[in-house]
């Protein structure tokens, strides 16, 4: 398999994973499209820290991030429903741990969006100040 084929497969895998927030769905869809076995895909996914940066660049796409957030919120709802309906204390504890992890990921995601928005606003304000400074000093771009 060529290096470009591997990169295409990895980009596809990340896109599906971000859209569905399901590792299983990403593994199955990638297997169906590229014919690479699920165990091989799983090993490759576990080594993603060695992937080139451009493969993971789609993960920061705002639309995909919204889909990812929606997936997290849906999972949180299902977890809360599970916790409410189960009588097994071990299952409740597992559900609470899962809920904690989901809320932590959601908090990180929201914080990242807010941080990016603040940076963009600050850059826009700096640009306006710079333009005003140039106008006051008679400099034109």
């Amino acid at each position: 398999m060529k290096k470009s084929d591997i990169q295409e497969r990895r980009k596809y895998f990340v896109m599906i994973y971000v859209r569905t927030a399901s590792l299983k769905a990403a593994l199955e869809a990638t297997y169906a499209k590229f014919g690479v076995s699920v165990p091989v895909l799983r090993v490759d996914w576990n080594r993603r820290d060695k992937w080139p940066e451009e493969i993971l660049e789609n993960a920061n796409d705002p639309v995909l991030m919204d889909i990812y957030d929606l997936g997290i919120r849906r999972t949180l709802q299902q977890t809360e429903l599970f916790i409410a309906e189960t009588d097994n204390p071990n299952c409740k504890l597992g559900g609470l741990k899962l809920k904690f992890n989901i809320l932590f990921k959601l908090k990180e995601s929201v914080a990242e969006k807010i941080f990016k928005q603040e940076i963009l606003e600050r850059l826009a304000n700096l640009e306006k100040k710079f333009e005003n400074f140039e106008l006051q000093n008679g400099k034109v771009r």
Side-chain angles (χ1 to χ4, degrees), residues 45-56:
W45 174 246
N46 290 333
R47 295 181 181 159
R48 65 190 172 277
D49 58 327
K50 295 178 177 43
W51 290 5
E53 283 292 317
E54 66 269 7
I55 291 171
L56 298 172

Side-chain angles (χ1 to χ4, degrees), residues 13-106:
F13 181 89
V14 169
M15 180 187 69
I16 298 298
Y17 185 54
V18 170
R19 283 186 182 167
T20 63
S22 167
L23 185 59
K24 183 179 179 184
L27 290 167
E28 290 172 354
T30 306
Y31 166 73
K33 182 170 181 169
F34 293 94
V36 177
S37 71
V38 171
V40 169
L41 293 171
R42 194 175 292 276
V43 167
D44 192 35
W45 174 246
N46 290 333
R47 295 181 181 159
R48 65 190 172 277
D49 58 327
K50 295 178 177 43
W51 290 5
E53 283 292 317
E54 66 269 7
I55 291 171
L56 298 172
E57 69 190 10
N58 286 342
N60 292 327
D61 182 306
V63 174
L64 293 179
M65 288 304 293
D66 288 342
I67 293 169
Y68 176 72
D69 285 347
L70 181 63
I72 289 175
R73 291 175 195 277
R74 258 194 244 133
T75 305
L76 180 60
Q77 289 172 345
Q78 292 297 317
T79 303
E80 289 172 343
L81 182 64
F82 173 77
I83 292 169
E85 291 179 350
T86 188
D87 293 327
N88 184 324
N90 290 330
C91 289
K92 280 192 186 281
L93 179 61
L96 288 170
K97 285 180 181 179
L98 179 60
K99 182 178 177 180
F100 172 79
N101 289 332
I102 292 168
L103 288 172
F104 185 76
K105 283 186 179 185
L106 190 59

